[in-house]
Amino acid sequence: MNATPTASETPKPSDSYVQSFARGLDVIRSFSASAPAQTLSEVAARTGLTRAGARRILLTLQTLGYVHSDGRLFQLTPRILDLGFAYLSSMPIWDLAEPMMETLVDRVHESCSAAVLDGLDVVYVLRVHTHKIMSTNLGVGSRLPAFWTSMGRVLLAALPEDELRARMATLPRERYTRHTVVDDAGLLDRVAEARAQGWCLVDQELEEGLISIAAPLRNRAGQTVAALNISGQANRTSAQAMQAQFLPVLLDTAQAISRTLGTRGR
Amino acid sequence: MNATPTASETPKPSDSYVQSFARGLDVIRSFSASAPAQTLSEVAARTGLTRAGARRILLTLQTLGYVHSDGRLFQLTPRILDLGFAYLSSMPIWDLAEPMMETLVDRVHESCSAAVLDGLDVVYVLRVHTHKIMSTNLGVGSRLPAFWTSMGRVLLAALPEDELRARMATLPRERYTRHTVVDDAGLLDRVAEARAQGWCLVDQELEEGLISIAAPLRNRAGQTVAALNISGQANRTSAQAMQAQFLPVLLDTAQAISRTLGTRGR
């Protein structure tokens, strides 16, 4: 998994790059919460395509049932989920992980998630909520900056040192809260600590009040393929209390899930 | 939302159809639980592409970060979730619906889901599980045949009569259980009943032991845009008991969610 070029950096067409395909994926991604229904002109503007180019892609998507149009506005259809979510169904790990995560949530009464690393982000692949008003509302496919999340630090800790430093070199820094560590030395320390102890706790570095604790999920070859976390609220449970109460059961569950993972999985 | 052509029926290239894009989407869909990691030859065989064609698409996906390769085997990366996520986040309804569904689950102690109609299927777009061993394990993006699910019948009931009959004409029939209704007249009766009463209960027609009850979610224009259900187990709760205990709270929640829906949403 490497950092991915943005649209402006995408390669020129060649015999190993299909630009019309790449542009089509850009059109799909141009739909969002702030642009759920778009006109042809809006899609063209958002993707940098010509109107003619955007029209061909939209009509192709419409022919295949991925886009619906009332003649003026285009919207994605639920068939789009066949693309993204084919990924989830291709990871048999989660079928086995989910009931174990549910048992964990029943014991700790906090939400539990699994995520993988993609460039500088963690991407949620499974979430089991506890039914509390304050439960966080991040769905599958959501992204958070890896360097300031417990799952991210656990996953970054598994990278070779040169790869870790290469990613840090491109890292945008933001002081999300007064606790956020932003300097290279501080971040490398935190990642090294996660590597040494085999788990990681992040105390309100990404959001005031949010504490989370994570452990790696490893395949039979010992490679870290994902991370598992429990997240809680500082006003209910201190960092110390989370470590004391949740760490043992988190590590137990992570090991139990890891034992179910094949060597071919990621 | 119309039924979608399969690969063998896809149109020929023209100035309004981008075949390389359509082929690229086929490559993404070729990955599945039974084929999570594929060689170039496997992808070519599954999609009907030449090896050279499959290679160009795979390398494009790799350049964009959607596919990872160890040199021999190709796998989708979590970035692929961005595509499905574009659809889900383009439906702002779910942010508001989720906490209301969690409250419902807390009251009834059964799982609650929301789904939309796509051709002959319902597609799950949001699920809130109750933490029980027997909770069903269908994730977001999963499909079930609309004519034999409570959400499906509620959604089909909102179609114009000619559209409903057109879909029935292409409907594959399967006797899933001894309770499954398979004849046209019986199915039309059930859909008409859902339309007349404004909700629907399906008692073990798709799977022995599975009962579910559904209500429509309507936008401000009164159009049915999705359905909400509660599913339960026949050995815990009879159909009569589900109707008595769950229907009032299901209808309350569906109306509360409907009130939050704009006229532009689907």
Side-chain angles (χ1 to χ4, degrees), chain B residues 1-265:
Chain B
M1 278 181 282
N2 300 312
T4 298
T6 61
S8 59
E9 297 165 343
T10 46
K12 295 288 169 284
S14 75
D15 63 352
S16 61
Y17 191 79
V18 186
Q19 194 156 55
S20 58
F21 177 43
R23 285 178 172 155
L25 297 177
D26 280 348
V27 168
I28 293 175
R29 292 179 64 161
S30 73
F31 291 89
S32 66
S34 58
Q38 301 184 85
T39 63
L40 175 56
S41 305
E42 286 167 344
V43 170
R46 270 202 189 82
T47 57
L49 293 174
T50 62
R51 275 177 58 93
R55 182 175 167 276
R56 292 180 72 208
I57 299 279
L58 285 168
L59 292 179
T60 302
L61 284 168
Q62 191 173 0
T63 302
L64 296 172
Y66 291 111
V67 153
H68 167 88
S69 174
D70 63 3
R72 194 181 73 85
L73 286 171
F74 294 85
Q75 291 184 295
L76 297 178
T77 73
R79 183 169 299 258
I80 213 75
L81 290 172
D82 289 357
L83 302 176
F85 199 62
Y87 165 73
L88 290 175
S89 69
S90 73
M91 300 188 76
I93 130 175
W94 310 124
D95 284 352
L96 298 163
E98 190 171 9
M100 294 191 237
M101 289 168 64
E102 289 183 355
T103 304
L104 178 61
V105 167
D106 279 346
R107 288 177 65 178
V108 302
H109 303 292
E110 297 288 354
S111 293
C112 173
S113 303
V116 294
L117 189 63
D118 184 33
L120 295 174
D121 295 333
V122 291
V123 181
Y124 283 86
V125 291
L126 193 60
R127 306 217 70 197
V128 177
H129 289 285
T130 181
H131 299 303
K132 284 192 182 144
I133 302 300
M134 298 251 334
S135 72
T136 54
N137 196 28
L138 285 166
V140 166
S142 295
R143 291 171 173 269
L144 287 177
F147 276 88
W148 296 284
T149 61
S150 61
M151 290 193 287
R153 287 183 185 168
V154 155
L155 293 165
L156 291 164
L159 293 177
E161 192 69 22
D162 55 344
E163 174 63 29
L164 174 63
R165 286 175 185 269
R167 293 197 195 188
M168 277 193 72
T170 66
L171 181 67
R173 317 287 162 115
E174 190 175 332
R175 205 172 284 279
Y176 299 100
T177 72
R178 63 208 153 96
H179 308 286
T180 308
V181 174
V182 290
D183 61 300
D184 277 23
L187 287 171
L188 285 172
D189 271 356
R190 298 302 192 284
V191 171
E193 184 186 59
R195 189 184 302 118
Q197 67 193 13
W199 55 273
C200 175
L201 185 145
V202 171
D203 186 3
Q204 310 180 70
E205 287 192 46
L206 190 62
E207 189 181 315
E208 289 287 348
L210 186 68
I211 304 179
S212 88
I213 187 165
L217 300 175
R218 297 195 176 99
N219 64 16
R220 279 175 218 160
Q223 296 162 320
T224 296
V225 293
L228 187 75
N229 89 343
I230 299 172
S231 58
Q233 297 293 329
N235 60 4
R236 281 202 305 264
T237 318
S238 71
Q240 271 192 313
M242 276 195 75
Q243 182 176 332
Q245 292 167 34
F246 298 162
L247 182 59
V249 63
L250 175 71
L251 291 174
D252 279 354
T253 305
Q255 280 162 20
I257 294 173
S258 292
R259 278 193 293 272
T260 70
L261 301 182
T263 48
R264 218 187 175 190

Side-chain angles (χ1 to χ4, degrees), chain A residues 142-170:
Chain A
S142 295
R143 291 170 173 270
L144 287 177
F147 277 88
W148 295 285
T149 60
S150 61
M151 289 192 287
R153 286 183 186 168
V154 154
L155 294 165
L156 290 164
L159 293 177
E161 192 70 20
D162 55 343
E163 174 62 29
L164 175 63
R165 286 175 186 270
R167 294 199 195 187
M168 277 193 74
T170 66

